[in-house]
Each structure stands twice: as structure tokens, then as C-alpha cells.
């Protein structure tokens, strides 16, 4: 048969014609020559089905089954017209006339909450018709850009899919979370016109992450050596995802002893009620919630100088913390001899 352009009637070179049996298994194929002609030889006597495949050509042709039904990459080829083949004979006139289709293009990027936009390569964007039938797909390039060609005029839905399972949250256009089995017909419709490109069909995908922040203070610049020091340590989840199992640590320096602590959690957060010695525990923080530890330890009575105490928080592997510079907090307290504190209190007073 022959494959031609529906608008110009000119032959289409290098269009592939694929042949299938009753079980929809491909049993042969051939590319068209400069005259648009093709021939598939060596077929046993039987009934076959044929379709075009122009996905690798520069033109935006709409592929079809014989005889004339549109056929996307996953169409059921056995819905086409059967082609009877007789042994030792050639079945002629299996011709295809292909119209120019429209296209959908856009980018898939990573949404990191207002930060710089980064394209995601290796992502699949799939297009569905209004009834939810899978029509076509394309893989994003290293910049996150994609184009799906060869679409007939009409309305479509589109969604993302990550074949590499990188934990991004898939979306249905426009900005609708989409699980693997989500109903694609609930998405926004994308209008496509033959021979035209519908651009700007973009996806910004969330990657589970959070911004954990810790602060620490003891409200005391100086204490007498041997006196207790009380610290207040607050851990907050600034979002955008909940965090279950963040680790809070406060490894006390040698100059602090006999430590005990308590923890208060806001609604939506959780932490152990109390403990002793250094803090090394897990907390749960929904977005926007905090936990506050109150830790009291006795300073070494024989140490005179600065006690430096640092607390930190770290996110679990499943929820990366994208902002690291607020994951630790340090407080310094000067311990003095008792007579130094007494002198500091009265050295500026005039004698009676």
C-alpha cells in the first residue's frame, strides 16, 4: 500500500507500517520508500491488522489503523478492519492518508517552595482523551521539557508519571495531586487544534521535604559555678510536609551534670514527656507545630569559664531537610567563682 499526507496528497517517506495478528502481536513491519509505498512479505495466510507509526518523524501526523481509525501508541489494533492475506498472493490497496495533528508541550519542574526552578529529566507525561483513554506519551529531556505530537483536534487530559520512582508527587494537569490510579478525567481539559501547538502545559512537582528549625536559650549570661542552668530548646517544622521521627539531640558537655528534661508538644506534635541526661530522642511535627524541651543541669563547681552547649535537629531520610543552616543552636554561659559574682554585683557601688 501507500502512505500519503491527507492535506497535500504527497507521499510520506519513512513512515512505518506495522502488521498485527488476531492476538494483537506484531508480526511484521516496513518503512515507506520515497514514493510512500510499503510492502510486508512472508506472512502466512490469515487475517491481519495494520497501523501507521510516525512517532519518530518530524511531522505531527495522527497515526491511524487500517481503515481510517485514529490509533495512539496503546490503541487496540484489532478494532481496525481485518486484512485477508492469501498464501503466495499480494494484498494490495492497504493505503493510509494521514492528517497533520496538533501537539502539547511544556515542562516538568521541581517545586521547592519558592526556590529556583529545576527541570526534571526522565519523567513521563501521558495524554488521555476526554473519556480517560490513554492516547500518547513523551519523556522529558534533561531540562524537563517535553512535546507530545500527532494529536487530533479535541480536548485532552495530561498527567505525570515517574518511571524511576524518585518520590516526587505526581500531578494531573492543572496542579491536582494524582496517585497511580487517580481519575484523569477530573483534570483540566487541554484544547488541541490540528497543525497547532498547545504550549505551557507545565507541571511543578513536590518532592517530600521540610524545613526544621531549632532555637536554644538559657536566659543567663553568667552563673556561679555549681549552680543549675536551665535551657529552653524549641524545635519547629516550617513545612511544607509533616515530619514523623525527627531526631533532637543535645549532647551535654562535661561541665554539665545531673541533667533532667521535660518536653511540651503543641497540638499536632509529639515528644516524650521527660528524660534524664543528654537529649537524644525522636519527635513528630505536623507542619507549623513545635515542641519545647526544658533541660536543667548542674554546672561543675570546679569549672570557671564558658560552657558551650549545642542542640540539633535532623530530619528522617524519607523527608529531607532542604535548609540546613537552622538545624543547630548554641548557647554559651560563663561560670564564675562565688566571690567574683559578689564582686561584680557591688564593685560599682560607692562606700558609705
Amino acid at each position: 500500500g501507500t502512505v500519503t499526507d491527507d492535506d497535500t496528497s504527497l507521499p510520506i517517506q519513512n513512515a512505518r507500517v506495522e502488521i498485527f495478528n488476531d492476538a494483537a502481536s506484531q508480526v511484521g513491519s516496513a518503512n515507506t520508500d520515497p514514493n510512500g509505498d510499503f510492502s510486508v512479505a512472508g506472512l502466512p495466510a490469515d487475517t491481519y491488522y495494520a497501523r501507521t507509526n510516525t512517532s519518530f518523524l518530524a511531522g505531527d501526523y495522527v497515526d491511524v489503523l487500517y481503515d481510517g481509525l485514529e490509533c495512539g501508541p496503546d490503541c487496540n489494533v484489532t478494532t481496525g478492519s481485518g486484512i485477508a492475506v492469501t498464501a503466495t498472493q499480494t494484498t494490495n490497496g492497504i493505503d493510509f492518508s494521514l492528517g497533520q495533528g496538533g501537539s502539547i508541550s511544556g515542562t516538568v519542574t521541581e517545586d521547592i517552595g519558592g526556590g529556583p526552578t529545576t527541570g526534571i529529566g526522565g519523567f513521563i507525561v501521558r495524554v488521555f482523551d476526554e473519556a480517560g483513554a490513554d492516547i500518547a506519551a513523551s519523556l522529558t529531556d534533561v531540562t524537563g521539557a517535553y512535546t507530545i505530537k500527532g494529536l487530533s483536534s479535541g480536548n485532552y487530559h495530561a498527567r505525570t508519571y515517574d518511571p524511576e520512582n524518585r518520590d516526587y508527587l505526581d500531578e494531573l494537569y492543572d496542579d491536582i495531586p494524582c496517585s497511580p490510579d487517580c481519575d484523569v478525567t477530573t483534570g483540566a481539559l487541554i484544547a488541541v487544534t490540528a497543525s497547532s501547538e498547545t504550549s505551557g502545559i507545565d507541571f511543578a512537582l513536590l518532592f517530600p521535604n521540610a524545613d526544621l528549625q531549632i532555637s536554644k536559650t538559657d536566659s543567663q549570661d553568667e552563673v556561679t559555678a555549681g549552680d543549675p542552668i536551665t535551657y529552653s530548646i524549641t524545635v519547629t517544622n516550617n513545612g511544607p510536609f509533616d515530619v514523623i521521627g525527627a531526631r533532637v539531640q543535645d549532647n551535654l558537655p562535661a561541665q554539665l551534670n545531673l541533667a533532667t528534661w521535660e518536653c511540651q508538644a503543641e497540638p499536632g506534635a509529639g515528644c516524650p514527656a521527660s528524660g534524664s541526661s543528654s537529649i537524644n530522642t525522636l519527635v513528630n511535627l505536623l507542619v507549623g507545630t513545635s515542641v519545647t524541651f526544658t533541660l536543667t543541669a548542674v554546672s561543675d563547681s570546679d569549672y570557671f569559664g564558658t560552657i558551650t552547649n549545642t542542640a540539633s535537629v535532623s530530619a528522617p531520610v524519607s523527608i529531607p531537610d532542604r535548609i540546613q543552616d537552622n538545624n543547630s543552636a548554641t548557647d554559651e554561659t560563663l561560670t564564675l567563682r562565688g566571690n567574683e559574682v559578689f564582686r561584680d554585683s557591688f564593685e560599682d557601688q560607692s562606700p558609705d
Side-chain angles (χ1 to χ4, degrees):
T2 304
V3 180
T4 57
D5 187 301
D6 187 50
D7 294 327
T8 66
S9 298
L10 294 174
I12 301 175
Q13 184 178 4
N14 289 326
R16 181 179 300 150
V17 178
E18 299 169 341
I19 309 300
F20 300 83
N21 61 19
D22 279 335
S25 296
Q26 186 175 329
V27 294
S29 67
N31 286 1
T32 56
D33 63 19
N35 297 316
D37 296 329
F38 71 93
S39 177
V40 180
L43 297 174
D46 206 341
T47 297
Y48 297 92
Y49 303 89
R51 61 156 290 163
T52 60
N53 182 353
T54 58
S55 59
F56 51 89
L57 297 181
D60 294 339
Y61 290 108
V62 178
D63 285 312
V64 296
L65 283 169
Y66 182 79
D67 190 17
L69 292 177
E70 291 184 12
C71 183
D74 299 321
C75 81
N76 181 2
V77 293
T78 62
T79 60
S81 298
I83 304 166
V85 172
T86 303
T88 72
Q89 296 185 19
T90 299
T91 302
N92 296 308
I94 308 303
D95 300 329
F96 300 87
S97 180
L98 305 184
Q100 286 283 338
S103 62
I104 291 174
S105 66
T107 58
V108 178
T109 58
E110 184 178 85
D111 181 356
I112 56 174
T117 299
T118 303
I120 309 173
F123 238 86
I124 292 174
V125 178
R126 303 200 73 90
V127 168
F128 306 81
D129 66 17
E130 286 192 78
D134 195 344
I135 300 299
S138 178
L139 198 66
T140 60
D141 64 19
V142 293
T143 69
Y146 74 93
T147 300
I148 299 175
K149 304 185 297 182
L151 301 173
S152 57
S153 295
N155 295 318
Y156 296 88
H157 301 282
R159 66 156 295 167
T160 62
Y161 170 72
D162 185 7
E164 299 180 25
N165 297 318
R166 288 168 286 186
D167 293 328
Y168 288 100
L169 302 185
D170 282 315
E171 280 188 4
L172 176 65
Y173 186 79
D174 184 16
D175 201 28
I176 301 172
C178 187
S179 63
D181 57 353
C182 78
D183 182 0
V184 295
T185 64
T186 61
L189 288 172
I190 304 165
V192 172
T193 303
S195 302
S196 298
E197 179 177 352
T198 302
S199 59
I201 308 303
D202 302 328
F203 300 86
L205 305 183
L206 285 170
F207 189 94
N209 71 94
D211 172 23
L212 298 180
Q213 176 180 335
I214 191 168
S215 63
K216 180 175 188 174
T217 180
D218 66 358
S219 301
Q220 298 166 277
D221 293 330
E222 299 176 353
V223 297
T224 300
D227 283 355
I229 303 174
T230 298
Y231 298 93
S232 179
I233 304 163
T234 300
V235 182
T236 303
N237 179 8
N238 296 322
F241 280 79
D242 299 335
V243 175
I244 305 300
R247 183 168 296 278
V248 179
Q249 293 179 295
D250 187 346
N251 296 316
L252 298 178
Q255 299 87 4
L256 294 175
N257 303 287
L258 304 175
T260 59
W261 53 264
E262 296 180 350
C263 185
Q264 296 291 324
E266 294 180 350
C271 61
S274 61
S276 59
S277 189
S278 296
I279 298 173
N280 185 4
T281 191
L282 299 179
V283 301
N284 300 330
L285 296 159
L286 300 188
V287 174
T289 64
S290 299
V291 296
T292 298
F293 292 84
T294 302
L295 182 150
T296 300
V298 177
S299 61
D300 190 333
S301 59
D302 295 324
Y303 178 80
F304 312 105
T306 299
I307 297 177
T308 301
N309 187 9
T310 299
S312 64
V313 61
S314 57
V317 174
S318 59
I319 306 289
D321 191 336
R322 296 296 182 91
I323 301 174
Q324 298 286 320
D325 59 3
N326 58 1
N327 290 165
S328 66
T330 299
D331 187 89
E332 295 183 345
T333 305
L334 182 63
T335 59
L336 305 173
R337 291 180 175 85
N339 61 348
E340 289 180 313
V341 175
F342 180 83
R343 185 183 68 242
D344 289 345
S345 300
F346 290 95
E347 62 183 357
D348 293 331
Q349 296 185 17
S350 300
D352 293 336

